[in-house]
Amino acid sequence: MEQKGYFPDGCTYNVIIRGFLARKKYSEALVLLKEMVAKGFSADASTVSWIVNLRSTKGQDAALQEVIKWFMPKD
């Protein structure tokens, strides 16, 4: 996308991240999440809602746990 001169905005990142989360591609979601934050964008309410709901997922892998850590306060 960027190679063709199209640069993602916050909305683009959020849509793609939610797509990865829906397909259980947590590693890919985490990579984009970090990229999004590094570029000054933040997760919108819908993306945060997805992540909060994933807290109840059984058999969480390390990538999903890392995604959740980005949004959950430390105990």
Side-chain angles (χ1 to χ4, degrees), residues 18-57:
R18 286 193 304 270
F20 282 140
L21 294 174
R23 287 162 185 78
K24 299 182 181 180
K25 296 184 177 227
Y26 305 123
S27 295
E28 291 90 339
L30 183 59
V31 168
L32 273 187
L33 180 61
K34 289 178 179 180
E35 182 180 311
M36 176 178 72
V37 171
K39 291 187 176 184
F41 300 110
S42 60
D44 63 16
S46 182
T47 301
V48 172
S49 177
W50 267 89
I51 293 166
V52 169
N53 290 333
L54 287 171
R55 288 178 56 199
S56 63
T57 302

